[in-house]
Amino acid sequence: MPRDRLQSNGEPVFEIASVGGVGFAFLALVVGAHNSWINRREALERANLMLVSLGRVRRFHGAFPHFVHAQTGKVIPFAKYDDGGDLVETALLIQGLICAREYFSEATDAECLLRAAIDKIVQGVEWDWYTKGQKGPLWWHWSPRHAWTVNLPIVGWNEALICYVLAAGSAKHAIDVESYHSGWAHSGAIANGNDYMGVRLPLGEPFGGPLFLSQYSFCTLDPRGLSDSYCDDYREQVQAHTLINYMHCRKHYAEKDGWGLSACDGPKGYSVNSPTSDSGVIAPTAALSSMPFLPVQASEAARHFMAWNGGGLVGRFGLMDSFEPSSGWVSKTHLAIDQGPVVAMMENHRSGLLWKLFMNAPEVRLGLKRLGFQTKAGDARAGHPIFTSALA
């Protein structure tokens, strides 16, 4: 399995894999094969190898842990009471598996076996069990040793919308729709509707929070024309969140430093950055994974990142995870959960590939229908008047 962190020379920092990072790796394999960066056989062989590795991982009512040993599959506790199932990491894995299953759709023995192996994992997640038997929220963690001690409900707005879509569309373990309304949307309290720097934000916390909140789920869910009881168009939500983040950075950072605040490495360790909690660290993944939503600004950021300090951000696998412009500090690592969305979102901007694959999957269509979503596909690069006026 891909390592959670690699050093700039390609060596792993630890033999740890994050399950969400493995999900993003499946998305990257599909993109690589689609663009002929690797051939279909190579992508299929690597996907099957990762599936064999996943088969060694202990599951907790079908859910995977957050961290595992990359070679043995042994569970590595994420925190004191978090040594069991992590439903959000599991969802990020499942979205990658579904895209791989939809992409490898040929009738060959190898692709049929891959689809069967993926279906076994997808159908084995007991989403309904993670409601504690109630009609309230899904719960993030469960451990056989510590039960529900972490006690963290999955409520929006955050990166975990994908959990509810997959849970609602499950063939064997579907949740009640009330879990979405009272849990994820907490009975309408998910709404925002305020203006920040001239931009109306439909949902979520003030100023939107770190950008990964609007990126992880939408690596596969197509927000263009997607609507439900709480948002008329999820593209507007994601674009507004992105634009607020961009405008904050334009106000506080030099143009040559690019832009983008999210969760990433920092001089004092991993941290979460946003307009309301800005430690001065820019994460290239934040801007580059915004390519479908602010393509001009994301492309400009890419050029600034590549040129910054004479190529000081460029490592073996692309841009390093993060940097602090004020001090010149640069991360020495690449992170799977930051690299993966860059590949996924750039391809969605170019071709919509992952959006098409995922939105056509039967469990996704069923989940969206059960939750009351409406879909109306649009152009990922289309503008919107509120963003044009705000930038002006």
Side-chain angles (χ1 to χ4, degrees):
M1 290 184 281
R3 304 315 193 256
D4 181 60
R5 292 167 181 264
L6 291 179
Q7 299 177 67
S8 57
N9 63 3
E11 293 297 319
V13 179
F14 302 108
E15 291 297 326
I16 293 176
S18 61
V19 165
V22 177
F24 288 124
F26 278 102
L27 297 181
L29 280 179
V30 169
V31 172
H34 175 72
N35 287 285
S36 299
W37 301 333
I38 54 176
N39 63 45
R40 192 179 185 92
R41 176 187 56 78
E42 291 172 321
L44 185 61
E45 288 178 354
R46 179 60 186 270
N48 275 317
L49 182 61
M50 288 197 292
L51 283 168
V52 170
S53 297
L54 287 169
R56 294 197 293 263
V57 177
R58 183 182 178 185
R59 276 164 256 178
F60 305 87
H61 291 275
F64 286 79
H66 188 118
F67 282 141
V68 298
H69 191 280
Q71 294 180 324
T72 66
K74 182 180 179 181
V75 176
I76 297 175
F78 181 75
K80 182 177 180 180
Y81 299 113
D82 184 6
D83 59 358
D86 183 315
L87 206 60
V88 175
E89 288 290 305
T90 298
L92 297 177
L93 170 65
I94 297 299
Q95 70 174 356
L97 290 175
I98 288 175
C99 284
R101 184 196 67 196
E102 296 300 299
Y103 180 78
F104 292 108
S105 59
E106 295 180 358
T108 64
D109 289 345
E111 297 198 13
C112 286
L113 287 171
L114 177 131
R115 293 196 298 274
I118 288 175
D119 276 336
K120 185 176 180 180
I121 294 174
V122 171
Q123 295 175 18
V125 182
E126 298 176 28
W127 303 98
D128 54 343
W129 193 85
Y130 277 82
T131 64
K132 300 184 182 180
Q134 302 169 3
K135 291 186 178 181
L138 290 165
W139 294 83
W140 204 302
H141 309 91
W142 179 82
S143 159
R145 294 179 60 209
H146 306 293
W148 304 102
T149 299
V150 176
N151 202 38
L152 182 62
I154 303 175
V155 296
W157 177 262
N158 62 25
E159 73 274 26
L161 176 59
I162 193 73
C163 281
Y164 283 87
V165 174
L166 293 171
S170 173
K172 298 180 180 179
H173 300 286
I175 60 170
D176 191 283
V177 66
E178 181 57 26
S179 290
Y180 177 72
H181 294 297
S182 64
W184 171 257
H186 32 114
S187 303
I190 192 175
N192 186 314
N194 294 313
D195 283 5
Y196 303 95
M197 293 181 284
V199 181
R200 178 183 175 273
L201 183 67
L203 306 174
E205 64 187 80
F207 292 89
L211 271 182
F212 78 91
L213 301 186
S214 286
Q215 292 175 342
Y216 284 3
S217 285
F218 291 107
C219 284
T220 55
L221 277 174
D222 186 351
R224 301 172 298 173
L226 186 69
S227 63
D228 69 351
S229 303
Y230 308 102
C231 187
D232 292 335
D233 188 339
Y234 275 87
R235 177 174 60 181
E236 180 181 345
Q237 164 67 18
V238 178
Q239 283 184 311
H241 184 187
T242 306
L243 183 55
I244 291 165
N245 197 290
Y246 168 79
M247 294 175 71
H248 169 88
C249 290
R250 284 284 61 80
K251 183 177 179 180
H252 295 280
Y253 296 91
E255 186 175 358
K256 66 180 178 62
D257 296 324
W259 59 277
L261 304 179
S262 194
C264 62
D265 275 347
K268 298 180 180 180
Y270 192 75
S271 62
V272 180
N273 297 286
S274 71
T276 58
S277 181
D278 185 354
S279 68
V281 177
I282 290 177
T285 183
L288 301 184
S289 300
S290 300
M291 194 68 72
F293 312 115
L294 286 185
V296 173
Q297 294 81 2
S299 298
E300 290 174 348
R303 287 188 284 271
H304 289 307
F305 293 148
M306 294 298 291
W308 191 84
N309 199 20
L313 297 182
V314 182
R316 181 178 176 187
F317 300 105
L319 295 165
M320 303 310 297
D321 189 63
S322 52
F323 68 108
E324 186 177 57
S326 63
S327 67
W329 174 88
V330 177
S331 168
K332 296 180 180 179
T333 55
H334 303 280
L335 272 62
I337 58 171
D338 288 343
Q339 295 283 78
V342 174
V343 178
M345 287 301 203
M346 282 189 169
E347 187 59 40
N348 280 331
H349 174 64
R350 284 157 43 112
S351 69
L353 172 69
L354 299 175
W355 286 340
K356 294 172 187 174
L357 291 171
F358 192 73
M359 297 295 281
N360 284 326
E363 54 269 88
V364 177
R365 295 200 307 270
L366 180 58
L368 290 170
K369 181 179 179 181
R370 284 175 171 170
L371 296 181
F373 278 89
Q374 301 292 321
T375 58
K376 183 180 179 182
D379 181 353
R381 287 162 288 187
H384 191 290
I386 70 166
F387 308 113
T388 304
S389 60
L391 286 171

